[in-house]
Amino acid sequence: MHAEVGGLKAARGRETCSVNGPAYQESGSEWLVPQLQQAGIEDSLVLQQDGAPAYFALQVCRYLNTTFSNRWIGRGSANDQAPFAWPPRSPDLTTSDDVLWEFIKDKMRNHH
């Protein structure tokens, strides 16, 4: 699976679709978390997200609260709040977010 966050698109083989909560959770559980585990850093980082709708779907928030307990920044949902609230349009976080996603997109392109 290939998730391109800049355009919020995901591709599975030849199929392309908009990223929704289930697709985003799948990319986290099937790609991101194994990469973090392989690098040995899963338990030592804080995951940062912005306010994209797929990121605060109820099932995604529950997944993040289980997988990254008290270690994620995001919008959260009414029923499952993020441990650290995302400050909207925060200039100190946006630059690092853009750089990280470019790195991840390049890795995912080369993975398939």
Side-chain angles (χ1 to χ4, degrees), residues 76-108:
S77 71
N79 295 326
D80 278 296
Q81 295 294 313
F84 302 99
W86 170 263
R89 295 175 181 74
S90 174
D92 57 328
L93 297 177
T94 303
T95 301
S96 62
D97 186 48
D98 293 340
V99 171
L100 174 64
W101 280 115
E102 284 303 315
F103 173 78
I104 290 173
K105 288 190 311 188
D106 287 344
K107 289 288 188 183
M108 293 180 79

Side-chain angles (χ1 to χ4, degrees), residues 16-90:
T16 300
C17 62
S18 293
V19 172
N20 58 22
Y24 180 68
Q25 179 183 345
E26 180 183 327
S27 68
S29 63
E30 292 186 11
W31 186 83
L32 179 62
V33 170
Q35 295 296 314
L36 298 174
Q37 290 170 335
Q38 183 178 357
I41 61 173
E42 178 192 15
D43 295 329
S44 63
L45 63 81
V46 175
L47 180 68
Q48 173 190 318
Q49 303 189 107
D50 60 19
Y55 304 170
F56 62 90
L58 182 59
Q59 75 180 65
V60 171
C61 293
R62 287 182 178 160
Y63 171 75
L64 293 174
N65 282 331
T66 300
T67 307
F68 297 97
S69 179
N70 294 317
R71 295 181 296 111
W72 65 279
I73 301 168
R75 183 171 169 180
S77 71
N79 295 326
D80 278 296
Q81 295 294 313
F84 302 99
W86 170 263
R89 295 175 181 74
S90 174

